[in-house]
Amino acid sequence: MKAAGLIIVLLTGGLLLYATQDFPPWGAPDSPASTHVSPRYLQKATEETAVPNIVTAVLADYRGFDTMFETTVIFCAGIGCFVLLRIFRQKPEDRYYRHIATEITLHIKGGRLPNKSREFERIDTLWTPYDLVIKTVCRILAPFIQLFALYVIAHGHHSPGGGFQGGVILGASIILIAISHNMRTAIARISEKVDNLLMAVGVFIYAGIGAVCVMLGAAFLDYGNLSVILFADEIMARSHGILGVEIGVGITVMAVMISIYNNLASAGKQDEGL
């Protein structure tokens, strides 16, 4: 089976490399992209979309299909890691609890204490005392990191940023909580079910905006016709449409990052880990 998989990968790679022979040389000034496409985008992007950040205009408008499938690939990566790594049926394992007042550690075989016990807190199997300074600083920083991530998503029209970058920053803020505290604390903020749902919601928002464009009589992801429901002219409607799909991208990227980290760090148990 492994040999068959290796052969398929080599054949696919060879086919892709063979197909690149028809591409123009790297950076060739007379290639179609340099003579027609790029100048068109540079000259017309701001005028047609009201988005000063041409990169965002190209990614979310002119190349909206490409970006939608990039988001779908990220979604599939998250689902793939979930299917391969997640372990649902877990054997009863030993658990460790620390008595908060006396710092005495209890080792309970095959059982558990109430999760919301005020006298005891559950600790990881390989536990080292938390650093109060690190925990406090990370807890204070996390909201500001998330606020900056929302700014990166919302302001991607006018400055470097967008859904991919903002989603990564949002996901990193939750992972920071998992590292500085523990995984259970991070999962308490965004549960596994919510996270998995958000992975699909982001793609749904992106594709849904395209579907709304079709229902309004335009082509898929042709945001201009959104002006009917956004009460704006067609150019501003394209700008708002770009913002909508960027929000969808940000949600999916954030949720996939958190899901992959939780499954990798906990070996699929979503219980404890780095």
Side-chain angles (χ1 to χ4, degrees):
M1 190 66 182
K2 291 183 178 178
L6 180 61
I7 292 172
I8 292 173
V9 169
L10 291 176
L11 289 176
T12 305
L15 181 62
L16 292 175
L17 290 174
Y18 176 76
T20 60
Q21 292 181 348
D22 293 333
F23 286 2
W26 180 261
D30 57 344
S31 65
S34 300
T35 56
H36 304 292
V37 181
S38 297
R40 173 69 170 73
Y41 290 163
L42 292 173
Q43 294 171 5
K44 297 291 184 179
T46 304
E47 176 185 341
E48 293 179 345
T49 65
V51 174
N53 186 348
I54 296 176
V55 175
T56 298
V58 172
L59 290 178
D61 191 304
Y62 297 115
R63 290 178 50 196
F65 274 86
D66 181 68
T67 305
M68 186 183 73
F69 286 111
E70 286 175 357
T71 308
T72 306
V73 168
I74 293 173
F75 169 73
C76 292
I79 294 296
C81 289
F82 175 82
V83 172
L84 293 174
L85 298 176
R86 187 71 172 95
I87 300 173
F88 291 101
R89 294 182 179 178
Q90 301 178 26
K91 298 179 181 177
E93 295 181 348
D94 298 352
R95 291 192 173 193
Y96 294 84
Y97 293 85
R98 184 176 74 95
H99 188 246
I100 298 173
T102 62
E103 297 190 348
I104 294 175
T105 301
L106 300 181
H107 178 191
I108 300 179
K109 295 185 176 182
R112 63 175 63 183
L113 293 177
N115 290 330
K116 296 183 179 179
S117 172
R118 294 183 178 180
E119 289 78 19
F120 293 89
E121 68 168 350
R122 190 184 166 195
I123 58 177
D124 293 347
T125 305
L126 300 175
W127 182 76
T128 54
Y130 301 119
D131 188 302
L132 179 61
V133 174
I134 294 176
K135 283 183 62 176
T136 305
V137 170
C138 290
R139 189 177 69 249
I140 294 174
L141 280 180
F144 292 99
I145 295 173
Q146 292 164 354
L147 186 63
F148 177 69
L150 295 177
Y151 166 81
V152 169
I153 295 174
H155 209 256
H157 296 52
H158 301 273
S159 60
F164 290 102
Q165 297 86 345
V168 168
I169 298 173
L170 273 176
S173 69
I174 301 299
I175 294 174
L176 179 66
I177 294 296
I179 294 174
S180 61
H181 292 66
N182 53 60
M183 183 169 290
R184 294 177 296 280
T185 302
I187 291 177
R189 284 163 171 73
I190 296 184
S191 68
E192 183 183 15
K193 290 182 179 178
V194 172
D195 190 61
N196 291 341
L197 183 63
L198 289 177
M199 283 196 293
V201 165
V203 179
F204 179 78
I205 289 175
Y206 202 132
I209 291 175
V212 171
C213 295
V214 173
M215 289 188 287
L216 293 174
F220 190 73
L221 293 177
D222 184 359
Y223 311 122
N225 271 27
L226 293 176
S227 60
V228 178
I229 57 176
L230 295 178
F231 304 106
D233 57 64
E234 291 190 2
I235 295 177
M236 286 308 300
R238 291 180 72 169
S239 176
H240 296 332
I242 291 173
L243 174 61
V245 299
E246 291 284 2
I247 292 173
V249 171
I251 292 173
T252 293
V253 171
M254 174 202 70
V256 169
M257 271 196 63
I258 296 171
S259 176
I260 290 177
Y261 171 81
N262 287 347
N263 282 308
L264 285 176
S266 67
K269 299 177 182 177
Q270 298 247 353
D271 190 26
E272 63 178 51
L274 282 177

Short mmCIF file of all heavy atoms in Angstrom, two decimals, residues 88 138 153 188 216 260:
data_model
loop_
_atom_site.label_atom_id
_atom_site.label_comp_id
_atom_site.label_asym_id
_atom_site.label_seq_id
_atom_site.Cartn_x
_atom_site.Cartn_y
_atom_site.Cartn_z
N PHE A 88 -11.82 9.05 19.85
CA PHE A 88 -13.06 9.27 20.59
C PHE A 88 -13.22 8.29 21.75
O PHE A 88 -13.65 8.66 22.83
CB PHE A 88 -14.26 9.15 19.63
CG PHE A 88 -14.34 10.27 18.65
CD1 PHE A 88 -13.90 10.11 17.35
CD2 PHE A 88 -14.82 11.51 19.05
CE1 PHE A 88 -13.98 11.16 16.45
CE2 PHE A 88 -14.90 12.57 18.16
CZ PHE A 88 -14.47 12.39 16.86
N CYS A 138 -0.02 36.59 29.59
CA CYS A 138 -0.72 36.00 28.42
C CYS A 138 -2.22 36.24 28.50
O CYS A 138 -2.86 36.51 27.47
CB CYS A 138 -0.43 34.51 28.34
SG CYS A 138 1.29 34.14 27.89
N ILE A 153 -8.31 41.84 9.83
CA ILE A 153 -9.34 41.33 8.91
C ILE A 153 -10.18 42.48 8.35
O ILE A 153 -10.39 42.58 7.14
CB ILE A 153 -10.26 40.32 9.63
CG1 ILE A 153 -9.47 39.07 10.04
CG2 ILE A 153 -11.43 39.92 8.74
CD1 ILE A 153 -10.25 38.09 10.88
N ALA A 188 -12.14 25.30 26.98
CA ALA A 188 -13.31 25.88 27.67
C ALA A 188 -13.76 27.17 27.01
O ALA A 188 -14.94 27.54 27.08
CB ALA A 188 -12.96 26.13 29.14
N LEU A 216 -29.18 37.07 -7.23
CA LEU A 216 -29.49 38.44 -7.63
C LEU A 216 -29.28 38.66 -9.12
O LEU A 216 -29.36 39.79 -9.61
CB LEU A 216 -28.64 39.43 -6.83
CG LEU A 216 -28.93 39.49 -5.32
CD1 LEU A 216 -27.94 40.39 -4.62
CD2 LEU A 216 -30.35 39.99 -5.08
N ILE A 260 -6.11 21.84 14.50
CA ILE A 260 -4.87 21.10 14.23
C ILE A 260 -3.96 21.11 15.45
O ILE A 260 -3.38 20.08 15.83
CB ILE A 260 -4.16 21.70 13.00
CG1 ILE A 260 -4.96 21.41 11.73
CG2 ILE A 260 -2.74 21.14 12.86
CD1 ILE A 260 -4.37 22.02 10.47
#
